[in-house]
Amino acid sequence: MTTNKQASEESTMDLPVREGEDPWTAEEIAEQRAALSEEIERLEKKIAVTEDELSDILKGGTDGAGRDPADLGSSNFERDQEVALAQNAREMADQARLALRLFNEGNYGLCEVCDNPIGKGRLQVFPRATLCVTCKQREERR
C-alpha cells in the first residue's frame, strides 16, 4: 500500500535512465517499488517453506544404521538440494532488500560499481539489479 508521502516522493523522484531511454513515469516508479516489496515477500515465504522442508528432512535423522545405502544417499541428496534452495532464496531476498534500500535512499538505478545508470529496461525485467549489464558481465567472468 502506497502512503500519500510515498506517492508524493515517487512523483518527484527522478530515477536515472540510459541514453535513449524514456524517463521514468510516476506510475512506473510506483510499480518498481511494489515489485521489489512483492519480491521480498515472495522470497521470505519461499525461505520459510524451504526451511520447514529442510527441518522435516533433518528430523528424519541422518543415522544410516539399518538403512539401505540408496535411501541414505537419496536423503543426503534431498537435504543438500533443500540447503541450496534455501541459500539461493536468501541471496535473492538480500539482493531485493538492497535494491529497495537503494530505492529509498534515492540511489536506485545506478550501478554500484561504475555509478552509471543500470537501464530502465533491465530494471523493469530484473528489479533487484544493482549492476549495469557491463559490470555484471565483468563480475561473472571472474
Side-chain angles (χ1 to χ4, degrees):
M1 184 170 145
T2 304
T3 64
N4 288 339
K5 182 180 177 190
Q6 281 178 324
S8 67
E9 287 173 1
E10 288 167 357
S11 64
T12 60
M13 183 181 281
D14 189 25
L15 296 180
V17 294
R18 294 174 60 123
E19 191 173 318
E21 290 181 324
D22 292 332
W24 289 88
T25 65
E27 183 178 287
E28 289 170 333
I29 292 171
E31 287 172 3
Q32 284 300 108
R33 183 186 298 273
L36 286 168
S37 297
E38 290 167 8
E39 180 79 354
I40 291 167
E41 186 177 322
R42 183 187 68 78
L43 288 166
E44 287 175 346
K45 286 178 185 176
K46 184 176 182 177
I47 292 166
V49 167
T50 305
E51 287 178 347
D52 286 345
E53 290 172 0
L54 182 58
S55 177
D56 290 344
I57 291 169
L58 293 176
K59 284 179 187 173
T62 57
D63 182 15
R67 292 179 66 189
D68 183 289
D71 289 342
L72 187 57
S74 180
S75 295
N76 289 342
F77 176 78
E78 194 175 334
R79 181 197 63 227
D80 292 347
Q81 285 291 105
E82 291 301 323
V83 168
L85 288 172
Q87 183 59 31
N88 186 47
R90 277 189 209 96
E91 288 172 7
M92 289 190 311
D94 288 345
Q95 289 173 350
R97 284 187 204 99
L98 172 60
L100 187 59
R101 189 186 85 220
L102 292 171
F103 200 112
N104 293 333
E105 293 172 353
N107 295 317
Y108 183 72
L110 292 174
C111 177
E112 288 185 303
V113 175
C114 67
D115 211 33
N116 288 324
I118 291 171
K120 183 177 176 180
R122 176 166 164 72
L123 289 170
Q124 286 176 321
V125 172
F126 189 65
R128 63 179 191 270
T130 58
L131 299 175
C132 67
V133 172
T134 304
C135 290
K136 182 64 176 173
Q137 287 172 339
R138 201 173 296 134
E139 177 187 87
E140 289 177 353
R141 276 188 237 129
R142 291 182 196 160

